[in-house]
Amino acid sequence: MIRIEGLTKRFGGTAVLNAIDLEIAKGERVVVIGPSGTGKSTLLRCINFLDRPDAGRITVGDISVDATRASRADILALRRATAFVFQNYGLFAHRTAQENIMEALITVQKRPRAEAEAQARRILKEIGLADKADSYPASLSGGQQQRVGIGRAMAIGAQLMLFDEPTSALDPEWVGEVLDLMRSVAAQGQTMLIVTHEMRFAREIADRVIFMEGGRIVEQGPPAQIFDAPQDPRLQRFLARVSA
């Protein structure tokens, strides 16, 4: 369903992604782990052109985009097929929770306003925030804001959901509610690519775990293999550090 070929990104003279190749099956949950600054978030941002790759091809379903030739129409088509959940929520401060969920439905998918409102209300109920429909982000807790962010991604029915360290900006008391919502989304068969530093959650939710270092995929496999029998010394050192 999703194929990434030769994905490369440089900032200045530094290659942050080094010709990444990756395939993700429909309904698969893939978790990316690794040290800070190794290209994990850049990988997600390049997949939907929040950062434009320098080279490579990205295919999501029937949409295939060459980074060196991508037109605005190509990029918009790719973004319609993906949904991004940001670590710092990415909500519009001047719009209510319901309006934040409605925004992409109206502006990107061109749905009638009444239909978008009904969809937003359904999503708010599903994420446990039906009573916060008219609340602005400033009046919501960090956990509630991130749940709205996930709800916004759910609403558009994307083929691939991208999660960029969705709990890293949260106080510890709010982490659990966001992870619970992600478990619920995963249980519905949603295809997910997740960057996280929550190793226990990664072990629990992932069909496959990818370890990145130096802009490359160093090792990948089922959670039991990655966490209990790591082969590469770099992965072994990383796990030793995060479990210390």
Side-chain angles (χ1 to χ4, degrees):
M1 178 188 176
I2 293 102
R3 180 178 295 112
I4 298 164
E5 303 166 271
L7 195 63
T8 300
K9 177 63 180 177
R10 298 180 182 86
F11 290 110
T14 303
V16 180
L17 296 178
N18 286 285
I20 295 286
D21 292 325
L22 176 63
E23 291 190 5
I24 303 172
K26 183 176 181 179
E28 189 178 14
R29 302 179 295 271
V30 178
V31 174
V32 184
I33 63 172
S36 297
T38 197
K40 304 184 302 296
S41 293
T42 301
L43 171 63
L44 266 59
R45 293 178 65 85
C46 283
I47 287 174
N48 76 341
F49 280 71
L50 286 173
D51 289 332
R52 183 159 188 150
D54 294 306
R57 177 173 289 277
I58 300 161
T59 302
V60 179
D62 295 332
I63 301 161
S64 189
V65 179
D66 186 321
T68 61
R69 302 185 182 91
S71 66
R72 177 172 174 78
D74 291 332
I75 293 170
L76 288 175
L78 189 62
R79 287 177 178 170
R80 290 189 189 101
T82 60
F84 204 105
V85 177
F86 299 87
Q87 55 184 292
N88 291 313
Y89 324 134
L91 302 181
F92 295 109
H94 62 291
R95 305 204 173 182
T96 66
Q98 179 171 299
E99 290 168 342
N100 266 280
I101 292 174
M102 290 169 54
E103 179 66 19
L105 298 175
I106 293 172
T107 61
V108 177
Q109 297 189 349
K110 308 300 182 185
R111 297 205 203 171
R113 186 173 186 85
E115 182 182 325
E117 287 178 350
Q119 173 75 338
R121 286 194 295 270
R122 285 194 295 271
I123 292 294
L124 284 165
K125 183 177 181 180
E126 187 172 345
I127 65 177
L129 293 175
D131 60 333
K132 300 294 184 181
D134 297 324
S135 298
Y136 289 90
S139 68
L140 301 175
S141 71
Q144 289 170 334
Q145 290 186 62
Q146 190 60 292
R147 281 155 65 193
V148 172
I150 295 172
R152 179 176 56 188
M154 293 165 62
I156 65 174
Q159 296 181 61
L160 172 66
M161 288 180 66
L162 305 165
F163 294 82
D164 185 12
E165 299 200 24
T167 62
S168 65
L170 297 177
D171 292 334
E173 62 188 302
W174 307 123
V175 170
E177 67 181 54
V178 170
L179 296 183
D180 283 345
L181 178 54
M182 291 177 65
R183 291 184 185 98
S184 176
V185 173
Q188 297 173 22
Q190 173 68 56
T191 309
M192 304 166 76
L193 181 59
I194 306 165
V195 170
T196 186
H197 60 276
E198 300 279 349
M199 295 299 114
R200 184 178 300 176
F201 178 68
R203 178 192 287 267
E204 172 194 340
I205 201 170
D207 297 306
R208 179 166 37 124
V209 177
I210 289 172
F211 172 67
M212 285 184 64
E213 188 173 78
R216 300 180 185 276
I217 295 175
V218 173
E219 188 170 339
Q220 59 181 302
Q225 173 188 320
I226 294 297
F227 291 111
D228 299 333
Q231 301 299 304
D232 192 281
R234 290 167 289 182
L235 174 55
Q236 295 168 0
R237 290 193 295 269
F238 170 76
L239 293 175
R241 288 196 303 270
V242 297
S243 62

